[in-house]
């Protein structure tokens, strides 16, 4: 199993000038992407989108084919929007890298298991949907030694990460809130991409 | 008219011409009976890129990504898909100030009788609830309302709907 923050750090070290779209645990302000990112102006947190962060990333990848787009998705988010796999595959943007942080549960709502937990394979689903490639990683060193190579492959690629659950079980209003919200981030990234 | 033939009062080209006049780059869509005649013409027109979706809720999110990337998309779905898309319209349309025009097949709409299709009954109520403006297009002569919708979406930085109240003719 890989820790959420460690996975983010390895991806950040290899992101280059990619736009990074985050949702749920991957974008957690205490143990997720905001802690490690060095290029906030190209980060877009898409929270509370009921699984649509990957769809947002698809649109961005189609609009900017010359730039890598990385989506850090949740497993609960992906099962809410499984059709995104076929939609992404249909257009097959070669610049889209779809990471799934699979912790097996809805960590932000108290750790309830997602449907199909322990049975499903996002790697097989992505391959079956027609992604260019799909990988599973459950070891940090293995991920670290391969992620650079993966970013040199043509997408769309799904990279499924087995993540240690970090369950938040305190009322939402008592949790640390992200410093950037989706509304401000989309405007900032829009400006950054047009300059 | 022969039996079963539908009078053609709205042609796909009227819609497509409006989209091109407004520099629309992408049509993010899921086919429906009201707009199915547009498909072939959209496929054959290199000026408009078609992005098919698996479910309507994806359209606003994909359009948002395209917009952030500097493109000018529209969504093209049926009113039933508007119901399915509620959270996407909220979170990635209204909340992020996306100037998205949504072309919506108005299933069940009939200005000449009683609407018995619940899809039509609830459509305008739902748009009112969200505070989303809308325009009705039924004939080629109405197509210019798409330009009004595009202008309003840009000016208000909000989604605006265009209800397509008839099936396209060929």
């Amino acid at each position: 199993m890989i820790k959420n923050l460690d996975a983010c750090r390895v991806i950040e070290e290899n992101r280059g000038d990619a736009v990074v779209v985050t949702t749920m645990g991957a974008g957690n302000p205490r143990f997720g992407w905001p802690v490690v990112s060095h290029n906030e102006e190209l980060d877009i947190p898409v929270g509370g989108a009921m699984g649509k962060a990957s769809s947002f990333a698809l649109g961005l990848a189609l609009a900017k084919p010359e730039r890598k787009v990385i989506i850090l998705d949740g497993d609960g988010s992906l099962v809410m929007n499984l059709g995104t796999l076929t939609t992404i595959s249909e257009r097959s943007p070669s610049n889209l890298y779809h990471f799934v942080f699979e912790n097996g549960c809805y960590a932000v709502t108290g750790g309830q298991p997602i449907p199909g937990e322990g049975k499903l394979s996002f790697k097989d689903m992505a391959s079956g949907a027609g992604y260019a490639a799909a990988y599973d990683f459950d070891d940090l060193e293995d991920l670290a030694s391969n992620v650079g190579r993966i970013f040199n492959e043509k997408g769309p690629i799904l990279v499924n990460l087995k993540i240690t659950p970090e369950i938040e079980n305190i009322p939402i209003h008592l949790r640390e809130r992200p410093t950037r919200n989706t509304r401000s981030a989309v405007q900032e990234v829009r400006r950054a991409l047009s300059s | 008219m022969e039996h079963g033939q539908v009078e053609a009062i709205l042609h796909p080209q009227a819609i497509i011409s409006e989209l091109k006049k407004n520099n629309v780059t992408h049509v993010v869509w899921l086919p429906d009976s009201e707009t199915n005649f547009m498909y072939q013409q959209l496929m054959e027109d290199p000026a408009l890129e078609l992005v098919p979706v698996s479910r309507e809720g994806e359209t606003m999110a994909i359009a948002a990504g395209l917009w952030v990337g500097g493109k000018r998309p529209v969504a093209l779905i049926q009113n039933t898909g508007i119901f399915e898309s509620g959270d996407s319209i909220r979170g990635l349309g209204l909340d992020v100030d996306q100037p998205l025009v949504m072309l919506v097949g108005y299933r069940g709409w009939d200005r000449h009788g009683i609407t018995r299709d619940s899809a039509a009954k609830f459509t305008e109520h739902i748009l009112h609830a969200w505070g989303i403006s809308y325009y009705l297009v039924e004939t080629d002569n109405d197509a210019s309302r798409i330009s009004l919708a595009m202008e309003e979406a840009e000016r208000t930085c909000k989604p605006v709907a265009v209800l397509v109240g008839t099936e396209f003719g060929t």
Side-chain angles (χ1 to χ4, degrees):
Chain A
M1 300 285 267
I2 303 170
K3 287 186 175 176
N4 199 81
L5 187 58
D6 290 339
C8 289
R9 186 171 286 117
V10 165
I11 295 165
E12 213 286 333
E13 288 168 358
N14 291 272
R15 77 178 284 183
D17 67 353
V19 179
V20 179
V21 180
T22 61
T23 193
M24 307 315 284
N28 187 285
R30 288 191 300 112
F31 52 79
W33 189 257
V35 178
V36 301
S37 176
H38 292 97
N39 202 352
E40 195 177 63
E41 71 168 5
L42 292 178
D43 297 342
I44 305 186
V46 180
M50 306 303 277
K52 301 303 189 306
S54 59
S55 306
F56 178 92
L58 169 61
L60 200 46
L62 293 174
K64 290 288 180 190
E66 74 285 1
R67 187 183 290 264
K68 286 183 170 60
V69 175
I70 300 169
I71 162 68
L72 307 185
D73 210 354
D75 53 356
S77 300
L78 183 50
V79 295
M80 278 188 191
N81 186 24
L82 270 178
T84 192
L85 296 176
T86 54
T87 304
I88 288 171
S89 172
E90 163 62 26
R91 294 305 310 270
S92 285
S94 61
N95 56 331
L96 184 62
Y97 299 85
H98 190 171
F99 287 79
V100 181
F101 283 51
E102 184 187 5
N103 60 14
C105 66
Y106 297 112
V108 298
T109 61
Q112 307 87 345
I114 66 165
E117 186 269 325
K119 300 177 185 173
L120 56 78
S121 165
F122 293 113
K123 173 177 175 286
D124 289 349
M125 287 186 190
S127 294
Y131 273 51
Y135 301 96
D136 262 329
F137 290 99
D138 61 6
D139 178 79
L140 180 64
E141 284 186 24
D142 194 16
L143 171 67
S145 59
N146 282 285
V147 71
R149 172 186 57 79
I150 290 171
F151 280 138
N152 283 322
E153 295 179 13
K154 283 192 172 181
I157 293 176
L158 184 137
V159 181
N160 187 59
L161 308 176
K162 304 286 187 184
I163 298 290
T164 306
E166 294 186 62
I167 295 165
E168 297 199 279
N169 220 355
I170 57 174
I172 285 179
H173 71 277
L174 297 177
R175 296 179 197 172
E176 185 175 338
R177 305 299 296 167
T179 55
R180 296 169 78 240
N181 61 29
T182 307
R183 184 180 194 167
S184 59
V186 297
Q187 298 295 347
E188 290 166 19
V189 173
R190 192 171 148 78
R191 279 194 294 274
L193 292 176
S194 66
S195 60
Chain B
M1 283 195 303
E2 293 177 15
H3 179 70
Q5 188 178 3
V6 178
E7 185 183 4
I9 55 175
L10 178 61
H11 297 88
Q13 200 54 48
I15 303 285
I16 291 171
S17 294
E18 282 292 313
L19 300 181
K20 291 164 78 169
K21 190 169 85 181
N22 285 282
N23 300 313
V24 169
T25 57
H26 293 75
V27 178
V28 189
W29 94 327
L30 198 145
D32 63 86
S33 55
E34 283 76 20
T35 60
N36 79 72
F37 291 106
M38 280 183 78
Y39 179 72
Q40 197 60 40
Q41 293 196 31
L42 284 170
M43 288 294 288
E44 292 169 356
D45 196 326
L48 293 167
E49 200 169 322
L50 203 56
V51 184
V53 300
S54 306
R55 197 81 168 101
E56 290 92 339
E58 295 174 79
T59 55
M60 295 78 202
I62 294 171
L66 286 162
W67 167 64
V68 170
K71 301 300 182 184
R72 197 173 202 199
V74 296
L76 177 57
I77 59 176
Q78 196 178 52
N79 49 357
T80 49
I82 285 286
F83 303 139
E84 195 275 334
S85 303
D87 194 63
S88 295
I89 292 172
R90 176 200 63 79
L92 290 167
L94 293 165
D95 279 5
V96 301
D97 299 332
Q98 186 190 172
L100 175 67
V101 167
M102 303 181 293
L103 302 172
V104 180
Y106 201 168
R107 196 189 93 178
W109 163 249
D110 183 0
R111 68 163 60 241
H112 303 295
I114 297 170
T115 299
R116 292 188 169 81
D117 188 335
S118 64
K121 283 181 183 173
F122 295 129
T123 297
E124 294 183 48
H125 294 296
I126 291 287
L127 294 173
H128 283 298
W130 276 321
I132 293 177
S133 296
Y134 56 89
Y135 297 82
L136 179 64
V137 171
E138 294 175 292
T139 71
D140 288 352
N141 288 336
D142 299 332
S144 60
R145 293 176 183 169
I146 292 171
S147 289
L148 298 178
M150 299 290 300
E151 186 278 327
E152 181 173 340
E154 287 293 330
R155 176 168 43 81
T156 62
C157 298
K158 292 293 176 193
V160 174
V162 173
L163 302 177
V164 181
T166 186
E167 293 191 16
F168 285 108
T170 53

